[in-house]
Amino acid sequence: MDAHRLPRGLGWLSVGLGLTELTFAEGICKLLKLRGHAGVVRALGARELLTGIGLLSQPERRPWLWARVAGDALDLSLLGTTLSRPSTSAAVWRAASTVAVLGITLIDIYAASAPRIRRMSLPENLDVKGGPAESWRGSGLAEDVGGKGESVSTEMDEAKRHQMMQEAQIRLGLPDPETLTRRS
């Protein structure tokens, strides 16, 4: 999976779980036969929602991924304490919940420790207005993309070179540097 899609997916999972725990705390407690613990479930939901929002909105994702791992450890410890409670019908739900949280914990650990999860930010060559800080023309990129297999010679006439750069600009979806300089 893409290094940027996994944290984003985990962020949406956190938001969904958090909203579910906040909204249906009594029902979750009833299902697991843990009456009187709706406040704990809501607190877990608030933590999950906060972590999800952090993953989706903050450029530095690794701390939020480790926050998910810490939250999973808390969830597992709380679920572990409920496994010894009597109630055959709820025991199946408790065991299934524990297995599900354990699986999610493994995914969270993988995502948090993956070396390729980096800070999500704009490339360094973009300025605040969204245009390139330096012109991409002259980098050789336009000639490479716009050349259509032709070798680029130093004697190429300026009109042909300009046409190739415009073609490359369109293919790559790059902004026109001339209109960017006029806006400034």
Side-chain angles (χ1 to χ4, degrees):
M1 177 170 261
D2 186 330
H4 303 296
R5 289 176 57 195
L6 180 59
R8 188 166 185 77
L10 290 172
W12 283 113
L13 175 67
S14 286
V15 168
L17 287 173
L19 290 174
T20 301
E21 289 173 331
L22 286 169
T23 306
F24 302 108
E26 288 88 6
I28 292 169
C29 289
K30 183 178 178 183
L31 181 68
L32 299 175
K33 304 272 192 234
L34 300 171
R35 298 210 193 282
H37 293 85
V40 173
V41 173
R42 282 191 187 95
L44 296 174
R47 181 213 69 224
E48 196 75 56
L49 184 62
L50 179 67
T51 305
I53 291 170
L55 270 170
L56 294 171
S57 66
Q58 297 300 310
E60 188 64 47
R61 291 182 168 174
R62 191 173 305 275
W64 294 102
L65 290 167
W66 283 114
R68 276 194 53 82
V69 172
D72 292 340
L74 180 63
D75 293 344
L76 285 171
S77 65
L78 290 172
L79 282 168
T81 63
T82 67
L83 290 176
S84 62
R85 291 184 176 212
S87 177
T88 321
S89 63
V92 173
W93 282 107
R94 290 181 199 148
S97 299
T98 303
V99 169
V101 172
L102 185 59
I104 291 171
T105 302
L106 293 174
I107 294 169
D108 288 341
I109 290 170
Y110 168 77
S113 61
R116 65 186 183 278
I117 302 291
R118 281 177 256 124
R119 185 176 207 272
M120 295 294 295
S121 62
L122 293 173
E124 292 179 18
N125 66 338
L126 290 182
D127 65 10
V128 181
K129 297 173 192 151
E134 296 178 14
S135 176
W136 57 274
R137 296 180 186 209
S139 66
L141 180 63
E143 291 84 356
D144 292 342
V145 175
K148 299 179 185 172
E150 303 167 4
S151 63
V152 179
S153 71
T154 55
E155 297 121 27
M156 183 181 298
D157 70 311
E158 189 59 35
K160 174 104 172 143
R161 184 180 184 101
H162 184 72
Q163 178 187 1
M164 288 173 60
M165 285 191 282
Q166 285 181 330
E167 288 175 17
Q169 176 185 335
I170 292 167
R171 281 189 191 156
L172 296 172
L174 298 172
D176 184 8
E178 294 160 356
T179 59
L180 290 173
T181 55
R182 280 186 237 139
R183 283 192 300 179
S184 303

